[in-house]
Every structure is written in C-alpha cells, then in structure tokens.
C-alpha cells in the first residue's frame, strides 16, 4: 500500500511538473519575442508600422498588407474547412455504419499528419496551374489557391474534434427525439448539433488556429506579394501572410537591425492572435465539459 502511495505521489508530481513546464516554456518564448520585437516600436514610427507598403530594403515596414493577407487567406480557408469538416464529422458520427466509421476516422487523422511542404509542392505543380487555366488568371499563385490548400489542411482537425463532440452527446437525446417521431436529419440538426455546439465551436477554433500558424504552404502557393487586399478581386491575386514573411526574410536579415526587430514584432502579433484563438477554443471546451457533467449529475 505504501509503495502504491509513493508511486502515485511521484506520478502526480511528474504530471504537475510537465504542465508547469509547458506554461513556463510558453512564457519564455513570449518574453524572448518581446525582447527582440519591442525595439521596433521605438525604431519605426507607429504611422509607418500601419502603412500599406512592406519593402524593408527601402525602409518601409507597413504591416497592413501582411495582416490583410493573413486575414484574407484565413477567412477563405475557414469558408472551405468549416462546412466540409462539419459535414464530414456529421457523416462519420451519425450516418456512416460502424465498419465505415472505423475506417474513415483513422484515415482522417492520418491526413492531419501530412507535411505542409508536400501539400505546398502539390499546389505549385498541380493546383495552381489548373486554377490559372480554369479561371483565366495571370497566375495561379494567389490567395485563393492558398485558401483551398489551407482549408484542406484544417479539415482533419475540424473533423476529428467535431466528431468527438458529436459522439459524446448522450444516446438518450437521440432516443427521446426518435420517440417523438423525429427523422434522422431532424435529430442531427435540432438535437445532436445543438447539444455538441461547444465542441463544434472548439473544432472550428482549432482549425482556424492551425490555418493562422501555417507557413510553408502559404509561402509556396500565394505568390508572396505584400499588397494590401482591397475587394473580393484580391482573393485571386498574389498576397503575402505574416508567417510567410518571417520564414522568407528571417534567414537573410542582419541580427539586431530594424528589419530584424520588425520581423519579431510580426511574431508577437502572431503569438497574440494564436493565443486568443486557443483561449476561445479552451473556453468552449470547458463549457462543453461543464454542461456534460451537469447532464450526467
């Protein structure tokens, strides 16, 4: 009995240490970003930081084109990933037979592990030329191409989390609705989905977080033109995201220069955006867990 108590004590302390170390590492990363990025606020006028031109060689550090490009690609990817991901999750959780479900769920999780650089390569070789011919565009390397590929990258994350949330809905909900004469689709849209709303929203947030932090795919297929998006037509033109800017320019910049600090300032913005998205996802997950505990109690 004493041995078991000692083992439980050690395992508990190890788990706590792992959890605290994760928080510590995130805090250290943020402090490093602050140390390297905040000098840009003193070296570059605020008016220049919110300018519409990013051309560091000539001293232009306007971040609006980069922020606009990230938002454009993220929104486009969300419009692709959310409907397809939710419909796929609904099919796996509510419609597909057990044999198909056991095959589809692992397949979706395998897709989540595909390297983004491979998808970017496929985008350059196959998708971009096809879209250029189909839509009669000057170039296939555009925000639209990046949105399609990023949507494909986010779909497995949305499907996996949303399917788990739908599967966690108590079977009594479905049985009660069926006893009242509801059809399968009425049960799905009016019972199961509302009951799993928090988990579905968590899946959407995690998918968006995956899109925001993606680097290689957008750097390879969006054309890397730091132009401020204006209107819907910008979706079919080259653009550049914040992540692609850091990846493309950090290897050539002089350490301690204004350009160097500006890139780290972009990193701070990305860190804060990702933190907000993940906090929202955690909040929705906590609400779902609390609601499930109330139902079970």
């Amino acid at each position: 009995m004493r041995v078991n108590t000692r083992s439980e004590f050690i395992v508990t302390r190890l788990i706590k240490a792992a959890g605290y170390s994760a928080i510590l590492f995130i805090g250290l990363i943020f402090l490093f970003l602050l140390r390297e990025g905040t000098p840009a606020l003193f070296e570059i006028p605020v008016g220049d930081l919110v300018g519409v031109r990013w051309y560091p060689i000539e001293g232009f550090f306007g971040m609006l084109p980069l922020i606009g490009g990230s938002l454009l690609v993220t929104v486009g990817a969300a419009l692709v990933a959310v409907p397809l991901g939710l419909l796929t999750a609904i099919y796996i959780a509510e419609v597909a037979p057990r044999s198909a479900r056991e095959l589809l769920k692992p397949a979706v999780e395998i897709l989540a592990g595909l390297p983004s650089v491979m998808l970017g390569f496929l985008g350059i070789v196959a998708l971009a030329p096809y879209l250029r011919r189909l839509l009669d565009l000057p170039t296939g390397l555009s925000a639209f191409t990046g949105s399609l590929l990023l949507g494909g990258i986010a779909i497995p994350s949305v499907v996996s989390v949303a399917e788990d949330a739908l599967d966690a809905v108590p079977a009594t909900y479905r049985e009660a609705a069926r006893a009242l004469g509801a059809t399968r689709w009425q049960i799905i849209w009016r019972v199961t989905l509302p009951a799993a709303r928090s988990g579905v929203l968590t899946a959407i947030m995690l998918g968006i977080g995956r899109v925001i932090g993606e680097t290689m795919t957008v750097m390879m297929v969006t054309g890397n033109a730091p132009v401020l998006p204006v209107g819907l037509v910008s979706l079919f033109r080259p653009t550049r995201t914040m992540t692609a800017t850091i990846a493309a320019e950090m290897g050539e910049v002089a350490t301690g220069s204004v350009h160097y600090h500006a890139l780290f300032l972009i990193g701070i913005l990305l860190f804060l955006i990702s933190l907000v998205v993940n906090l929202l996802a955690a909040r929705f997950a906590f609400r779902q867990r609390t609601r499930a505990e109330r139902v079970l109690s």
Side-chain angles (χ1 to χ4, degrees):
M1 185 70 180
R2 185 176 301 174
V3 175
N4 292 335
T5 304
R6 186 180 304 172
S7 301
E8 292 177 359
F9 176 81
I10 295 174
V11 171
T12 301
R13 290 296 181 272
L14 289 175
I15 293 174
K16 287 184 177 180
Y20 289 136
S21 64
I23 299 174
L24 176 63
F25 292 151
I26 294 174
L28 291 176
I29 291 172
F30 185 60
L31 289 176
F32 177 76
L33 291 175
L34 287 177
R35 189 189 71 178
E36 301 295 333
T38 50
L41 298 175
F42 303 97
E43 299 168 345
I44 306 172
V46 177
D48 293 343
L49 288 175
V50 295
V52 296
R53 188 178 181 189
W54 175 269
Y55 197 61
I57 296 178
E58 296 186 1
F60 294 100
F61 297 96
M63 296 186 181
L64 287 184
L66 310 180
I67 298 174
S70 296
L71 291 177
L72 180 64
V73 174
T74 300
V75 171
L79 293 176
V80 174
V82 172
L84 293 178
L86 290 183
L87 290 176
T88 304
I90 291 171
Y91 175 76
I92 294 176
E94 302 291 333
V95 180
R98 177 63 62 178
S99 58
R101 182 179 177 182
E102 292 178 354
L103 178 64
L104 291 174
K105 187 68 183 294
V108 170
E109 293 176 351
I110 290 174
L111 291 177
L114 292 178
S116 59
V117 65
M118 183 191 72
L119 295 176
F121 179 73
L122 291 176
I124 290 178
V125 174
L127 183 59
Y130 175 76
L131 291 176
R132 180 180 60 82
R133 294 190 300 268
L134 178 65
L135 302 176
D136 193 21
L137 300 174
T139 176
L141 302 178
S142 63
F144 183 68
T145 307
S147 297
L148 291 179
L149 287 175
L150 287 183
I153 291 175
I155 283 176
S157 300
V158 176
V159 171
S160 180
V161 179
E163 193 274 336
D164 290 338
L166 293 170
D167 190 58
V169 175
T172 53
Y173 285 23
R174 302 177 180 86
E175 295 172 357
R178 193 176 296 110
L180 293 174
T183 64
R184 171 184 287 182
W185 294 109
Q186 288 174 335
I187 294 173
I188 292 174
W189 293 113
R190 299 184 181 182
V191 178
T192 308
L193 271 178
R197 178 176 55 191
S198 297
V200 171
L201 291 176
T202 301
I204 294 173
M205 291 296 177
L206 292 176
I208 293 175
R210 173 76 187 274
V211 170
I212 292 174
E214 187 55 50
T215 303
M216 289 306 301
T217 301
V218 291
M219 187 171 67
M220 296 173 71
V221 302
T222 56
N224 288 319
V227 180
L228 182 66
V230 179
L232 186 60
V233 68
S234 299
L235 186 62
F236 302 97
R237 294 176 178 174
T239 189
R240 173 180 280 194
T241 63
M242 293 186 286
T243 53
T245 301
I246 296 175
E249 300 181 7
M250 182 58 74
E252 301 176 356
V253 69
T255 303
S257 63
V258 178
H259 188 188
Y260 176 87
H261 293 147
L263 292 177
F264 272 97
L265 183 60
I266 297 175
I268 294 175
L269 294 176
L270 281 171
F271 183 93
L272 294 176
I273 293 173
S274 299
L275 179 63
V276 170
V277 171
N278 283 278
L279 286 177
L280 290 175
R283 179 184 177 185
F284 289 132
F286 176 77
R287 289 174 56 185
Q288 182 191 26
R289 191 180 304 114
T290 303
R291 184 176 300 176
E293 290 175 355
R294 290 176 180 175
V295 171
L296 293 176
S297 62

